[in-house]
Amino acid sequence: MALLAISLTVSPARAMAEITNLCSEENFEGSKLTVCSFDPTKTKLRMFWKAPDGAPLKSFARLAEEVTSGGKQLVFAVNGGMYSESFEPVGLYIEDGRELRPINTKTMTGSPGSIPNFYKKPNGIFFLTGSDAGLLTTEEYLGRPRTVQYATQSGPMLVVKNKLHPALIPGSTDKTRRSGVGISKDGIIHFAISEDDINFHAFARFFRDQMKCPNALFLDGGRGAGIYSERLGRSDWSWHGGFGPMIGVVE
């Protein structure tokens, strides 16, 4: 995979004030990660799921074609959360102010290892309004009515108010590539994807301790994690046969 090599004393992914469209390579405890950071007040972020014909887009390449046909340019995209075998979002999905999938409040019981990632409570919702972005647990989101342009529900939450999700295990051998999103205190959105296999606990600590995000959400892992970046020359493919919801930056 082609990565953008940036050599600066201070990581550009953490130079918060001037970030509008920037990807960098980060290292955390020996694991490489690609982080793309955006200021939602200066960058046009949105979410995508279906093509005009009603079929799921499924790939970054198809998404880029659709954006281009509309006279715009896709500069970045990332998988946008859990989806079913039919590529439908598992939880809440709002696009252009329309709720296309309802919020999912289902609870599953059993040993932590037997519960799918989405249902490891608390899960959460990443959302975009007309001027900023937010990241809340599902319970917090339900308790705060708001006008939302875009939203996607996924799980588990990685970090909640600077605390790690209680189900995450230090030193776990459950390692794979993972993607997630966090928002730092100044409102900058950080999308991260691990280029090496990493466990949940380390991935969550990366957001909290290195990227300084008090809240972070897992988007997907293994074969369902991927990014698109013109600058990095990447258009990853999901080996599940495609992606469900996607989050993108359009210029």
Side-chain angles (χ1 to χ4, degrees):
M1 298 178 182
L3 293 177
L4 179 63
I6 301 177
S7 179
L8 293 175
T9 302
V10 177
S11 168
R14 295 192 296 276
M16 307 299 188
E18 300 301 323
I19 293 175
T20 56
N21 181 4
L22 182 64
C23 295
S24 69
E25 183 181 288
E26 296 282 330
N27 187 287
F28 184 72
E29 298 180 353
S31 295
K32 292 181 180 179
L33 302 100
T34 298
V35 180
C36 296
S37 303
F38 303 93
D39 181 341
T41 67
K42 301 177 182 179
T43 309
K44 189 172 179 57
L45 286 98
R46 58 161 299 173
M47 297 179 189
F48 306 88
W49 175 25
K50 293 182 177 181
D53 62 6
L57 289 161
K58 300 201 310 186
S59 74
F60 295 136
R62 176 75 188 280
L63 172 57
E65 289 176 0
E66 291 296 335
V67 171
T68 299
S69 69
K72 302 290 185 180
Q73 185 177 20
L74 182 69
V75 297
F76 169 82
V78 64
N79 60 285
M82 308 291 181
Y83 51 95
S84 69
E85 292 182 357
S86 59
F87 305 99
E88 292 190 353
V90 173
L92 177 69
Y93 182 77
I94 296 174
E95 185 176 318
D96 287 330
R98 296 179 300 130
E99 183 180 295
L100 302 183
R101 294 289 296 171
I103 200 163
N104 186 334
T105 59
K106 180 179 178 180
T107 297
M108 297 185 70
T109 59
S111 64
S114 68
I115 299 175
N117 289 328
F118 181 92
Y119 296 101
K120 288 182 169 68
K121 298 292 185 75
N123 53 27
I125 295 169
F126 171 67
F127 60 91
L128 302 165
T129 67
S131 58
D132 62 3
L135 184 50
L136 296 171
T137 67
T138 298
E139 289 71 23
E140 288 177 314
Y141 183 93
L142 284 168
R144 300 184 189 180
R146 57 182 44 78
T147 300
V148 172
Q149 289 297 110
Y150 298 95
T152 184
Q153 184 181 9
S154 192
M157 288 289 289
L158 298 169
V159 187
V160 181
K161 298 177 182 177
N162 280 312
K163 293 184 178 180
L164 302 186
H165 191 293
L168 306 187
I169 303 170
S172 171
T173 58
D174 179 16
K175 296 182 177 182
T176 188
R177 294 178 67 244
R178 303 184 191 277
S179 62
V181 59
I183 301 178
S184 47
K185 290 181 180 179
D186 57 1
I188 301 299
I189 304 168
H190 304 282
F191 297 100
I193 185 168
S194 64
E195 306 302 341
D196 301 318
D197 291 346
I198 191 171
N199 66 35
F200 264 126
H201 196 271
F203 194 48
R205 286 188 292 107
F206 167 74
F207 274 105
R208 184 190 67 180
D209 301 341
Q210 188 151 314
M211 301 309 300
K212 308 302 181 185
C213 295
N215 295 290
L217 176 68
F218 180 63
L219 291 175
D220 212 341
R223 296 178 173 184
I227 67 168
Y228 173 96
S229 172
E230 278 196 328
R231 293 188 177 191
L232 304 185
R234 284 180 64 167
S235 183
D236 297 348
W237 170 253
S238 168
W239 293 98
H240 292 305
F243 297 109
M246 292 176 272
I247 305 166
V249 174
V250 175
E251 291 183 350

